[in-house]
PDB file of all heavy atoms in Angstrom:
ATOM      1  N   ALA A 119      87.345-136.481-138.668  1.00  0.00           N
ATOM      2  CA  ALA A 119      86.621-136.211-137.410  1.00  0.00           C
ATOM      3  C   ALA A 119      85.220-136.889-137.409  1.00  0.00           C
ATOM      4  O   ALA A 119      84.805-137.582-136.464  1.00  0.00           O
ATOM      5  CB  ALA A 119      86.478-134.834-137.064  1.00  0.00           C
ATOM      6  N   VAL A 120      84.570-136.866-138.634  1.00  0.00           N
ATOM      7  CA  VAL A 120      83.304-137.488-138.810  1.00  0.00           C
ATOM      8  C   VAL A 120      83.473-139.020-138.718  1.00  0.00           C
ATOM      9  O   VAL A 120      82.794-139.734-137.983  1.00  0.00           O
ATOM     10  CB  VAL A 120      82.670-137.102-140.102  1.00  0.00           C
ATOM     11  CG1 VAL A 120      81.352-137.930-140.323  1.00  0.00           C
ATOM     12  CG2 VAL A 120      82.202-135.593-140.033  1.00  0.00           C
ATOM     13  N   GLN A 121      84.454-139.479-139.465  1.00  0.00           N
ATOM     14  CA  GLN A 121      84.736-140.949-139.459  1.00  0.00           C
ATOM     15  C   GLN A 121      85.121-141.463-138.076  1.00  0.00           C
ATOM     16  O   GLN A 121      84.708-142.594-137.733  1.00  0.00           O
ATOM     17  CB  GLN A 121      85.784-141.250-140.526  1.00  0.00           C
ATOM     18  CG  GLN A 121      85.335-141.062-141.916  1.00  0.00           C
ATOM     19  CD  GLN A 121      86.492-141.140-142.881  1.00  0.00           C
ATOM     20  OE1 GLN A 121      87.693-140.809-142.608  1.00  0.00           O
ATOM     21  NE2 GLN A 121      86.226-141.621-144.126  1.00  0.00           N
ATOM     22  N   GLY A 122      85.887-140.615-137.344  1.00  0.00           N
ATOM     23  CA  GLY A 122      86.236-141.063-136.034  1.00  0.00           C
ATOM     24  C   GLY A 122      85.035-141.097-135.095  1.00  0.00           C
ATOM     25  O   GLY A 122      84.934-141.933-134.200  1.00  0.00           O
ATOM     26  N   LEU A 123      84.083-140.251-135.262  1.00  0.00           N
ATOM     27  CA  LEU A 123      82.856-140.295-134.477  1.00  0.00           C
ATOM     28  C   LEU A 123      82.012-141.524-134.766  1.00  0.00           C
ATOM     29  O   LEU A 123      81.634-142.259-133.905  1.00  0.00           O
ATOM     30  CB  LEU A 123      82.043-139.011-134.564  1.00  0.00           C
ATOM     31  CG  LEU A 123      80.811-138.796-133.767  1.00  0.00           C
ATOM     32  CD1 LEU A 123      80.967-139.068-132.311  1.00  0.00           C
ATOM     33  CD2 LEU A 123      80.135-137.511-134.123  1.00  0.00           C
ATOM     34  N   PHE A 124      81.920-141.831-136.060  1.00  0.00           N
ATOM     35  CA  PHE A 124      81.239-143.047-136.405  1.00  0.00           C
ATOM     36  C   PHE A 124      81.853-144.301-135.824  1.00  0.00           C
ATOM     37  O   PHE A 124      81.245-145.207-135.349  1.00  0.00           O
ATOM     38  CB  PHE A 124      81.150-143.221-137.983  1.00  0.00           C
ATOM     39  CG  PHE A 124      79.807-142.567-138.568  1.00  0.00           C
ATOM     40  CD1 PHE A 124      79.837-141.310-138.997  1.00  0.00           C
ATOM     41  CD2 PHE A 124      78.739-143.337-138.705  1.00  0.00           C
ATOM     42  CE1 PHE A 124      78.793-140.675-139.536  1.00  0.00           C
ATOM     43  CE2 PHE A 124      77.570-142.759-139.289  1.00  0.00           C
ATOM     44  CZ  PHE A 124      77.548-141.433-139.697  1.00  0.00           C
ATOM     45  N   ALA A 125      83.206-144.320-135.884  1.00  0.00           N
ATOM     46  CA  ALA A 125      83.999-145.478-135.376  1.00  0.00           C
ATOM     47  C   ALA A 125      83.807-145.620-133.851  1.00  0.00           C
ATOM     48  O   ALA A 125      83.605-146.677-133.350  1.00  0.00           O
ATOM     49  CB  ALA A 125      85.479-145.323-135.716  1.00  0.00           C
ATOM     50  N   TRP A 126      83.794-144.460-133.148  1.00  0.00           N
ATOM     51  CA  TRP A 126      83.523-144.361-131.668  1.00  0.00           C
ATOM     52  C   TRP A 126      82.194-144.948-131.359  1.00  0.00           C
ATOM     53  O   TRP A 126      82.034-145.722-130.387  1.00  0.00           O
ATOM     54  CB  TRP A 126      83.700-142.943-131.208  1.00  0.00           C
ATOM     55  CG  TRP A 126      83.641-142.860-129.656  1.00  0.00           C
ATOM     56  CD1 TRP A 126      84.612-142.960-128.785  1.00  0.00           C
ATOM     57  CD2 TRP A 126      82.430-142.689-128.915  1.00  0.00           C
ATOM     58  NE1 TRP A 126      84.218-142.837-127.469  1.00  0.00           N
ATOM     59  CE2 TRP A 126      82.803-142.636-127.562  1.00  0.00           C
ATOM     60  CE3 TRP A 126      81.098-142.514-129.178  1.00  0.00           C
ATOM     61  CZ2 TRP A 126      81.927-142.491-126.554  1.00  0.00           C
ATOM     62  CZ3 TRP A 126      80.168-142.382-128.212  1.00  0.00           C
ATOM     63  CH2 TRP A 126      80.562-142.312-126.866  1.00  0.00           C
ATOM     64  N   VAL A 127      81.208-144.522-132.124  1.00  0.00           N
ATOM     65  CA  VAL A 127      79.789-145.097-131.825  1.00  0.00           C
ATOM     66  C   VAL A 127      79.798-146.528-132.047  1.00  0.00           C
ATOM     67  O   VAL A 127      79.242-147.290-131.215  1.00  0.00           O
ATOM     68  CB  VAL A 127      78.825-144.359-132.736  1.00  0.00           C
ATOM     69  CG1 VAL A 127      77.513-145.112-132.851  1.00  0.00           C
ATOM     70  CG2 VAL A 127      78.585-142.924-132.443  1.00  0.00           C
ATOM     71  N   ASP A 128      80.338-147.056-133.066  1.00  0.00           N
ATOM     72  CA  ASP A 128      80.487-148.540-133.230  1.00  0.00           C
ATOM     73  C   ASP A 128      81.181-149.232-132.200  1.00  0.00           C
ATOM     74  O   ASP A 128      80.778-150.268-131.721  1.00  0.00           O
ATOM     75  CB  ASP A 128      81.013-148.804-134.672  1.00  0.00           C
ATOM     76  CG  ASP A 128      80.178-148.269-135.821  1.00  0.00           C
ATOM     77  OD1 ASP A 128      78.983-148.035-135.586  1.00  0.00           O
ATOM     78  OD2 ASP A 128      80.692-148.167-136.955  1.00  0.00           O
ATOM     79  N   ARG A 129      82.409-148.756-131.792  1.00  0.00           N
ATOM     80  CA  ARG A 129      83.193-149.379-130.773  1.00  0.00           C
ATOM     81  C   ARG A 129      82.485-149.453-129.490  1.00  0.00           C
ATOM     82  O   ARG A 129      82.701-150.411-128.703  1.00  0.00           O
ATOM     83  CB  ARG A 129      84.503-148.632-130.592  1.00  0.00           C
ATOM     84  CG  ARG A 129      85.682-148.990-131.393  1.00  0.00           C
ATOM     85  CD  ARG A 129      86.953-148.526-131.021  1.00  0.00           C
ATOM     86  NE  ARG A 129      86.996-147.109-130.502  1.00  0.00           N
ATOM     87  CZ  ARG A 129      87.090-146.020-131.232  1.00  0.00           C
ATOM     88  NH1 ARG A 129      87.284-146.157-132.554  1.00  0.00           N
ATOM     89  NH2 ARG A 129      87.096-144.784-130.732  1.00  0.00           N
ATOM     90  N   ASN A 130      81.616-148.497-129.172  1.00  0.00           N
ATOM     91  CA  ASN A 130      80.966-148.457-127.898  1.00  0.00           C
ATOM     92  C   ASN A 130      79.631-149.137-127.953  1.00  0.00           C
ATOM     93  O   ASN A 130      78.807-148.995-127.028  1.00  0.00           O
ATOM     94  CB  ASN A 130      80.852-146.926-127.489  1.00  0.00           C
ATOM     95  CG  ASN A 130      82.150-146.486-126.987  1.00  0.00           C
ATOM     96  OD1 ASN A 130      82.568-146.806-125.818  1.00  0.00           O
ATOM     97  ND2 ASN A 130      82.963-145.825-127.768  1.00  0.00           N
TER      98      ASN A 130
END
Side-chain angles (χ1 to χ4, degrees):
V120 172
Q121 290 169 330
L123 183 54
F124 269 91
W126 184 92
V127 165
D128 295 342
R129 268 194 323 273
N130 284 279

